[in-house]
Amino acid sequence: MKNKAKFLPVLAAFVVASGCSGYRPAPAAFHEALYQPYVLDAGDTLRITVFDQDNLSNTYNVDQSGYIAFPLVGSVPARGKTSKQVEQSIASMLRQGYLRDPDVTVEVDRYRPVFIMGEVGAPGQYSYVPGMTVQKAVAAAGGFSPRANQGNVDITRDINGKVLTGRVVTTDPLLPGDTVYVRERLF
């Protein structure tokens, strides 16, 4: 009984310390978002090709309000849509008095950047590359600092208009627009 009495304060201290750690496992939506079609947002650059219309084929940026400025038809909504949906919107708008049967292709030319903060060599904004993992992003940011927790990181991600933060391992994939925070290790 005496040994249990000595053990109780240690257990209580451990419980209090673990409650202060701020650990937030990644919600299920984090990994589900990896298998959804890519949705466009501000900062993406699109390569739009209209067959046999060289003056319309070009690269276009999705602006802060989520639109692209396309010749002849004006502003085309892009935020929250897939490239296929934007393709269909542009073709539909061009059919309304501009082209008889437009053949439109929309591809992502450049994804919005990822942001890396915390215990890395050079925190900042970095270009997203398809297939990028946390480890690859940290390598692009100059690697881990000597004080970095190299086991897991916190990622902030916009999923369906909702900003979520969760802790993931360094082998997890990233999405465009993610913010990675590398914490300092305790010991």
Side-chain angles (χ1 to χ4, degrees):
M1 185 71 171
K2 203 172 201 178
N3 285 342
K4 287 183 182 178
K6 289 180 182 177
F7 180 70
L8 194 56
V10 172
L11 180 63
F14 178 74
V15 169
V16 168
S18 66
C20 295
S21 71
Y23 175 70
R24 296 168 306 244
F30 257 54
H31 294 102
E32 292 168 7
L34 298 170
Y35 304 107
Q36 301 301 317
Y38 180 69
V39 293
L40 302 168
D41 205 348
D44 288 327
T45 303
L46 306 176
R47 184 180 318 114
I48 302 176
T49 307
V50 182
F51 184 69
D52 266 350
Q53 299 295 322
D54 292 338
N55 55 343
L56 297 177
S57 300
N58 205 345
T59 56
Y60 300 90
N61 294 319
V62 180
D63 66 18
Q64 189 61 35
S65 59
Y67 289 84
I68 56 171
F70 197 77
L72 300 177
V73 298
S75 294
V76 178
R79 174 177 282 140
K81 296 181 185 269
T82 64
S83 56
K84 191 75 172 164
Q85 290 170 325
V86 172
E87 200 173 277
Q88 292 167 349
S89 293
I90 292 172
S92 173
M93 294 169 135
L94 287 173
R95 268 189 214 98
Q96 297 173 4
Y98 299 106
L99 297 173
R100 189 171 290 145
D101 189 23
D103 184 7
V104 180
T105 304
V106 175
E107 301 172 284
V108 178
D109 185 52
R110 190 177 56 219
Y111 294 90
R112 55 190 179 275
V114 294
F115 301 89
I116 305 168
M117 308 181 328
E119 296 297 324
V120 293
Q125 171 181 316
Y126 292 89
S127 295
Y128 174 82
V129 179
M132 182 178 260
T133 63
V134 171
Q135 211 167 27
K136 291 175 184 174
V138 168
F144 290 109
S145 76
R147 296 185 312 245
N149 175 351
Q150 298 182 22
N152 51 46
V153 299
D154 291 335
I155 293 181
T156 302
R157 179 176 290 164
D158 185 338
I159 301 173
N160 298 327
K162 197 172 182 187
V163 178
L164 301 172
T165 300
R167 192 158 293 167
V168 300
V169 295
T170 57
T171 55
D172 266 25
L174 291 176
L175 290 175
D178 281 356
T179 300
V180 177
Y181 180 71
V182 179
R183 296 175 326 284
E184 186 176 353
R185 62 186 157 93
L186 297 176
F187 300 102

